[in-house]
């Protein structure tokens, strides 16, 4: 299984989960993170957990160049990304996912539901580029939401470089 974690931070979304799996050896993941402090912490966590299949890359996840050798992925994590980029970049990021995903890939994403709530549009945008929604959880009284989508479209080759998104928050 090939995994890409976009703007991975210190690897909190993946390292602990993989470390608990009996088949962790099957997971080949790349955590893409721009902040060198987070990169160092994620590398320490993966080394401590003995996860040789996880690579932490110090790169700009908003540039296609970071993905050249790590896609197509079977699982793409967009956790903490869609709420920190412009609405236009959210749509562009979702539109770029067929360039990152293998056939049958799963994308897990999060987004705040503060007014104006963009999550209905996010869900439509996923459908518009070849994804089927498997789950969407937006607990009452909470501002966060989590979506899971399955890629059933046709994968595309990513360009060698070019902007996908820029962090604004």
């Amino acid at each position: 299984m090939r995994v890409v974690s976009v703007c991975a931070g210190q690897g909190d979304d993946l390292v602990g989960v993989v470390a608990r799996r009996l088949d962790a050896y099957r997971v080949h993941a790349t955590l893409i993170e721009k902040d060198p402090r987070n990169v160092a912490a994620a590398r320490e966590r993966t080394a401590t957990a003995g996860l040789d299949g996880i690579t932490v890359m110090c790169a700009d996840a908003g540039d296609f160049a970071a993905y050249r050798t790590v896609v197509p992925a079977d699982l793409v994590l967009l956790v903490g990304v869609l709420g920190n980029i412009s609405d236009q970049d959210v749509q562009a990021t979702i539109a770029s996912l067929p360039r990152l995903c293998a056939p049958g890939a799963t994308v897990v994403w999060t987004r705040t539901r503060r007014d104006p709530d963009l999550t209905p549009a996010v869900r439509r945008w996923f459908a518009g580029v070849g994804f089927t929604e498997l789950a969407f959880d937006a607990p009452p009284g909470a501002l966060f939401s989590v979506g899971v989508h399955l890629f059933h479209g046709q994968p595309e080759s990513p360009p060698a470089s070019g902007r996908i998104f820029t962090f604004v928050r």
Side-chain angles (χ1 to χ4, degrees):
M1 171 175 283
R2 185 178 260 191
V3 181
V4 172
S5 182
V6 178
C7 300
Q10 297 183 5
D12 294 336
D13 302 320
L14 190 64
V15 174
V17 173
V18 174
R20 289 189 299 272
R21 294 185 60 94
L22 296 175
D23 63 348
Y25 64 89
R26 289 183 50 233
V27 177
H28 300 280
T30 302
L31 283 61
I32 303 173
E33 173 57 45
K34 189 174 182 179
D35 184 322
R37 295 166 299 180
N38 285 338
V39 169
R43 286 178 177 157
E44 175 65 27
R45 291 186 74 201
T46 58
T48 299
L51 298 173
D52 298 331
I54 296 182
T55 302
V56 183
M57 178 190 299
C58 188
D60 180 358
D63 188 330
F64 275 114
Y67 301 90
R68 281 191 308 250
T69 61
V70 300
V71 296
D74 301 300
L75 173 63
V76 176
L77 299 176
L78 282 172
V79 178
V81 176
L82 301 183
N84 290 297
I85 60 179
S86 71
D87 295 354
Q88 182 178 358
D89 275 0
V90 170
Q91 187 172 13
T93 299
I94 293 166
S96 74
L97 288 171
R99 295 180 173 135
L100 305 181
C101 291
T106 301
V107 175
V108 178
W109 59 275
T110 60
R111 170 74 192 200
T112 183
R113 293 182 294 127
R114 285 189 180 91
D115 286 333
D117 182 1
L118 191 66
T119 59
V122 167
R123 296 165 78 189
R124 283 192 309 275
W125 293 334
F126 268 98
V129 292
F131 287 85
T132 300
E133 186 172 273
L134 298 178
F136 179 73
D137 191 17
L143 288 177
F144 74 89
S145 60
V146 180
V148 180
H149 282 75
L150 179 67
F151 183 54
H152 60 82
Q154 185 64 34
E156 302 171 18
S157 297
S161 65
R163 294 301 313 155
I164 303 170
F165 62 82
T166 302
F167 260 61
V168 295
R169 295 178 182 89

